[in-house]
Amino acid sequence: MSFGQGGPYGPGGSQPPQPSTPDWAALADQSAARNRRRKLLFIGGGALATAAVAAIVATAVVSSGHKDKGGGDSAGGLPTPQDLPSESATPEPSFSNVAPPAPPKPLDIISSARRDKAPLSAGSLFPDKSAAKDDRSYTKAASASTTSCSAATQGALGSVLVNNGCRKLLRATFTRDGVAVTVGVAVFDGKAAAEKAKDRYQPNIASLSGGGVPTFCRRTACQSSANAIGRYAYFTISGYTSGKAVTSSDTATLQAGRDVADYTFRRILARGSAQASAEAASAASATN
């Protein structure tokens, strides 16, 4: 093999090979290059190993639902999103769009015999032993009831009651300090009839004696009044148990008549309130 002109060992002929000095700079560059390659390979290999380990760990986490003996996932597996509980296990309250009926009104009930069905007697309408108003109290002396409305009246009042369809007449007498008051409650089928009886009132309701009260206001002047609520018209007559005549300026008998009339009004209205409460309770239980 030829390495140049003039012979195998250089120009001018053959000569024995001469020892050469090593190129230390080139050798140093080659060594540095080798070291860099080894370092890169080491770093790259470490990264690959780390990635491989991470992949193995991730695979183990994903598939780590330890199989039970039957081959299914164990209870220790992570729940899927659809198996996670909702924010609240308590159902939201629901409300009806239908408004509850209005509670019955006491006055509506006592204005019609169709709705006013509670038992009615002198004892149930006047159950108290006395009638009180402010600091004044009147003792109940006697009570009575009749279906013959004209039989418990004087003068033209009987005809007024009968002509407007009076079904029953309830009376009670109260007394205080020598003054006696009889109140008579006429019962009709509806409010219109009771209003007519009040408007066409003519004296008098017959006074009721008994319970220590003698006959009064039969042949002497007395105070009288007329009013109505619902299907009830009520009348009072008040005077002295001594038989003394009542004058136009008399205040004792006038006050007594007003107090007993007010007590009667409240008793009739209480009858309506009791029935209204019963109707409301019945309606509530029916909707539950």
Side-chain angles (χ1 to χ4, degrees):
M1 169 172 80
S2 173
F3 290 95
Q5 296 178 353
Y9 298 111
S14 7
Q15 295 180 0
Q18 301 293 319
S20 60
T21 301
D23 189 347
W24 298 109
L27 291 175
D29 290 340
Q30 292 174 2
S31 177
R34 282 194 301 271
N35 290 335
R36 284 195 300 271
R37 283 197 299 272
R38 281 197 300 270
K39 185 176 182 181
L40 290 173
L41 288 173
F42 177 78
I43 293 174
L48 289 174
T50 302
V53 171
I56 292 171
V57 172
T59 303
V61 170
V62 171
S63 60
S64 65
H66 304 292
K67 302 294 182 179
D68 57 21
K69 293 181 180 179
D73 290 342
S74 70
L78 291 175
T80 58
Q82 58 269 29
D83 294 332
L84 292 174
S86 61
E87 292 184 0
S88 175
T90 304
E92 293 294 330
S94 58
F95 301 94
S96 173
N97 292 327
V98 180
K105 297 179 180 179
L107 186 58
D108 290 344
I109 292 177
I110 60 175
S111 293
S112 170
R114 180 179 59 83
R115 297 184 64 183
D116 186 18
K117 297 179 179 180
L120 179 62
S121 66
S124 65
L125 189 60
F126 304 109
D128 305 316
K129 293 182 179 181
S130 62
K133 177 67 183 293
D134 297 334
D135 58 346
R136 299 177 295 276
S137 181
Y138 302 82
T139 302
K140 185 172 73 173
S143 62
S145 65
T146 179
T147 55
S148 177
C149 296
S150 61
T153 63
Q154 296 182 109
L157 182 60
S159 296
V160 172
L161 300 182
V162 171
N163 291 341
N164 285 284
C166 178
R167 300 293 185 183
K168 184 183 292 188
L169 185 61
L170 313 173
R171 288 183 298 165
T173 296
F174 298 86
T175 182
R176 177 176 182 264
D177 296 338
V179 174
V181 182
T182 292
V183 58
V185 181
V187 185
F188 299 88
D189 288 339
K191 179 179 179 179
E195 290 290 339
K196 285 183 179 179
K198 179 200 72 173
D199 294 340
R200 298 174 183 177
Y201 166 76
Q202 297 184 46
N204 279 322
I205 193 76
S207 63
L208 178 66
S209 59
V213 175
T215 300
F216 66 100
C217 292
R218 291 294 180 95
R219 301 185 179 201
T220 187
C222 289
Q223 293 276 6
S224 65
S225 68
N227 216 323
I229 177 175
R231 68 186 188 111
Y232 301 89
Y234 54 100
F235 315 94
T236 65
I237 187 167
S238 55
Y240 291 99
T241 56
S242 63
K244 183 177 70 170
V246 174
T247 64
S248 58
S249 60
D250 192 289
T251 58
T253 56
L254 178 62
Q255 185 67 68
R258 288 176 175 175
D259 289 345
V260 172
D262 180 73
Y263 169 75
T264 303
F265 170 86
R266 288 185 278 113
R267 288 301 310 150
I268 297 172
L269 191 59
R271 172 181 171 84
S273 297
Q275 293 180 87
S277 297
E279 281 192 19
S282 178
S285 62
T287 57
N288 292 335

